[in-house]
Amino acid sequence: MNLLICFGTRPEAIKMAPICMELNKRKIPFKLCVTGQHKEMLQQVLDFFDLIPDYDLNVMLPNQSLNTLSSRILVEMDKVFEKEHFDLVLVHGDTTTSTLVALAAFHRHCKVAHIEAGLRTYNKQSPFPEELNRQLTARISDFHFAPTQKAKNNLLKESVNESSVIVTGNTVIDALHITINKIENGYSNAFIENLNETINFNKRVILVTGHRRESFGSGFKNVCEAILEISKKHDVEIVYPVHLNPNVQNVVYKRLAGKDNIHLITPLDYPSFIWLMNKAVLIISDSGGIQEEAPSLNIPVLVTRETTEREEGVTSGCSILVGINVNKIIHEANRILTADKVNDKMTNPYGDGIAAIKIVDFIQNNILIND
Ligand code: UD1
Ligand code: UDP
C-alpha cells in the first residue's frame, strides 16, 4: 500500500503534521507532497514540524484566480501520479488543494481519505469557495475522518456509508498540545523575542486575523473600522498578523497602519502565534482553525463571518458570530472587555489531542491490513 499525504496551505500543514508524526513514530512509510498553494506561510509550518516534502508542486502565483490555481494543481498532481503509484491519498479540509488533489487521485483510481470531513454551512457562498470544496471532497472520498459527532451526522444525512465515517476529534488540538508542551519547556524564537520587545504585555492584548474571500472589499473595511473604534475606546494592545493575500494586505494597511496601539505584523510562525494567542484576552477572527484552538486556551473569539461550520464553539460559548457588522463587533468587544468575570475553563468540543492516533489506528488496522 503506497500512501501519499498531500496539502498546500498553512492550516492544512498544521493539521496534517500530527498525522505525519504519528506515521513516522510507527515507521509506516508514506510520501509527502505539498502543492505550494501557500509559500512562506506553508514553509513556516514545515520548518517547525520538521517536515520535508518529497514533492513540491510550487503552484503559488501572486493573487491568481481560483480557476488558474485549480488547473495548475490538477496538471502538477497528474505528473506525481504518473511518476509513482499511490493506493491512498490523505487530503485535508476545504481548500482548493484538498478538492483538486482528491479529484486528481480519483482520476488515477487512487483512494482518498478526507481528514476534517463533514463540516457544513450548506451555504455555497459562505464560506466561499470552501463550503462547496468540502461537499465535493466528500463525494470523492472513500474514508471520512470527522472531527465531531455533528460532522459525522452531516455526512450520514448525505447518505455517506456509516462504516466509512470515523469520529476522531480535530488534529489541530494535537498540534496545539505538541506546541504548548514545547513552549512550556522553554521553546522560543525570533518572532517571540520581537513580540516581547514591541508589545506592551502589561496591557490587555486583542489578537486579530482575517482572510475570507467572501469578506474582501466592504467586509474587511467594516472589520477595520470596528478595530479602529475599539483601539480608541480601550487601553489595549491590538496585534494583527496580516495574511499575505494582497486583497487583505491592501485594505488593512491602508486603514490601520500608523496607529499607536495597533500592531500590524507579518504572519507569525505557528508556535509564536500560539504563544501570543495564549496571552490574548480576546480574538477577532474569521479563521476556522482559531475557532477550534481558542476553547483550549479559554479565549473568546468574535467570529467575523455570517456563518460558521464550527457551531460547536458557538454552543460552548467560546465563539460569538458577529458577522461583518461594525456595531455588533464593537458591542461584543465592549461587553467582553468590561466584564468582571472571565469565562470558566471549558472543555474543547473539537477534541482531546489524540485525533492523529485514532486516524493512524484506523488506517493501520482497516486499510493497510486489507492491502
Ligand atoms: C487559502 C484557502 C482557504 C484557507 C486559507 C488559510 C482556498 C481557495 N483558500 O486562502 O480556504 O482558509 O488559505 O490561510 O483554498 N500568499 C502569499 N504567500 C503565502 C500565501 C499566500 O503571498 O504564503 C498570497 C498570494 O498572492 C496568493 C494569495 O495570497 O495568490 C491567495 O492565496 P490562496 O491560497 O489562493 O488564498 P488564501 O486567501 O490564502
Ligand atoms: N496561524 C499562524 N500564524 C498566524 C495566524 C494563524 O500560525 O499569523 C495559525 C493558527 O494558529 C491556526 C491556523 O494558522 O492553526 C489558521 O489558519 P488560517 O486562519 O489562515 O486558516 P483557516 O483555519 O481559516 O483555514
Side-chain angles (χ1 to χ4, degrees):
M1 164 74 70
N2 290 340
L3 194 60
L4 178 67
I5 295 194
C6 199
F7 51 78
T9 66
R10 169 175 69 192
E12 292 166 81
I14 292 167
K15 291 168 167 183
M16 286 294 225
I19 299 177
C20 296
M21 290 164 81
E22 190 60 30
L23 287 166
N24 281 335
K25 207 161 134 191
R26 298 188 199 188
K27 300 197 171 12
I28 299 174
F30 69 95
K31 291 279 173 78
L32 177 62
C33 170
V34 296
T35 61
Q37 177 176 337
H38 281 177
K39 204 174 228 156
E40 305 89 328
M41 288 162 58
L42 175 69
Q43 194 56 47
Q44 289 178 329
V45 185
L46 297 175
D47 290 345
F48 178 65
F49 287 105
D50 285 328
L51 298 176
I52 300 167
D54 300 286
Y55 296 95
D56 184 347
L57 310 184
N58 201 16
V59 298
M60 200 196 87
L61 292 174
N63 211 12
Q64 67 186 324
S65 77
L66 291 176
N67 284 333
T68 305
L69 172 63
S70 301
S71 57
R72 285 163 60 75
I73 294 171
L74 265 187
V75 169
E76 294 305 317
M77 275 313 293
D78 212 35
K79 293 180 191 163
V80 174
F81 288 120
E82 187 67 48
K83 196 155 176 222
E84 209 171 337
H85 170 78
F86 291 101
D87 303 284
L88 179 70
V89 57
L90 269 59
V91 299
H92 185 282
D94 55 17
T95 66
T96 298
T97 286
S98 337
T99 306
L100 272 297
V101 169
L103 185 62
F106 171 72
H107 287 158
R108 289 279 183 169
H109 303 288
C110 169
K111 288 212 157 90
V112 177
H114 187 199
I115 317 293
E116 197 179 275
L119 277 62
R120 295 288 183 271
T121 62
Y122 292 110
N123 177 346
K124 275 193 294 187
Q125 303 302 328
S126 174
F128 173 89
E130 290 83 1
E131 175 62 17
L132 190 66
N133 283 347
R134 291 179 194 132
Q135 295 191 27
L136 293 171
T137 307
R139 296 290 77 79
I140 297 168
S141 295
D142 302 278
F143 304 100
H144 311 258
F145 293 98
T148 63
Q149 185 61 41
K150 187 174 169 42
K152 173 175 176 175
N153 293 346
N154 288 336
L155 291 164
L156 298 186
K157 273 190 275 170
E158 295 168 18
S159 303
V160 173
N161 186 334
E162 186 161 9
S163 65
S164 68
V165 185
I166 307 93
V167 178
T168 60
N170 198 310
T171 53
V172 78
I173 311 302
D174 306 25
L176 184 68
H177 287 189
I178 294 165
T179 308
I180 287 179
N181 193 27
K182 280 199 177 183
I183 292 169
E184 283 175 355
N185 282 302
Y187 175 91
S188 190
N189 67 23
F191 278 116
I192 296 177
E193 282 158 27
N194 192 258
L195 287 168
N196 259 328
E197 278 167 22
T198 51
I199 312 296
N200 180 354
F201 285 105
N202 293 321
K203 295 188 179 180
R204 290 180 299 172
V205 170
I206 300 177
L207 181 57
V208 183
T209 79
H211 67 84
R212 304 244 77 100
R213 276 180 159 75
E214 63 275 14
S215 298
F216 288 172
S218 60
F220 270 94
K221 286 182 195 156
N222 286 358
V223 175
C224 288
E225 194 180 322
I227 288 166
L228 203 54
E229 193 55 35
I230 295 165
S231 76
K232 289 179 193 159
K233 209 166 182 157
H234 298 277
D235 189 22
V236 290
E237 290 276 81
I238 298 181
V239 188
Y240 190 162
V242 188
H243 194 287
L244 294 181
N245 193 320
N247 297 290
V248 181
Q249 293 259 325
N250 294 342
V251 178
V252 171
Y253 276 94
K254 189 168 164 203
R255 282 164 199 266
L256 298 180
K259 312 288 175 207
D260 273 353
N261 60 343
I262 303 180
H263 304 267
L264 302 181
I265 56 176
T266 56
L268 290 168
D269 75 342
Y270 179 61
S272 35
F273 188 78
I274 296 301
W275 180 90
L276 181 61
M277 206 170 156
N278 211 7
K279 294 195 177 308
V281 296
L282 172 65
I283 299 172
I284 301 175
S285 175
D286 60 17
S287 164
I290 291 171
Q291 289 175 66
E292 294 155 347
E293 291 159 345
S296 289
L297 304 173
N298 223 26
I299 304 160
V301 186
L302 302 186
V303 182
T304 48
R305 296 174 44 181
E306 300 300 335
T307 60
T308 182
E309 57 292 310
R310 277 125 172 142
E311 277 174 19
E312 296 90 339
V314 177
T315 313
S316 77
C318 188
S319 300
I320 302 149
L321 213 52
V322 290
I324 42 164
N325 179 311
V326 181
N327 291 333
K328 206 161 177 189
I329 299 170
I330 296 171
H331 173 80
E332 287 299 329
N334 287 346
R335 192 180 59 74
I336 290 166
L337 291 170
T338 53
D340 312 326
K341 187 175 167 287
V342 280
N343 284 345
D344 293 329
K345 184 107 190 92
M346 53 187 98
T347 43
N348 192 322
Y350 300 107
D352 45 13
I354 54 166
I357 292 178
K358 290 183 184 167
I359 290 166
V360 176
D361 276 350
F362 184 88
I363 292 173
Q364 197 167 26
N365 299 330
N366 297 280
I367 307 180
L368 298 183
I369 212 143
N370 292 327
D371 182 32

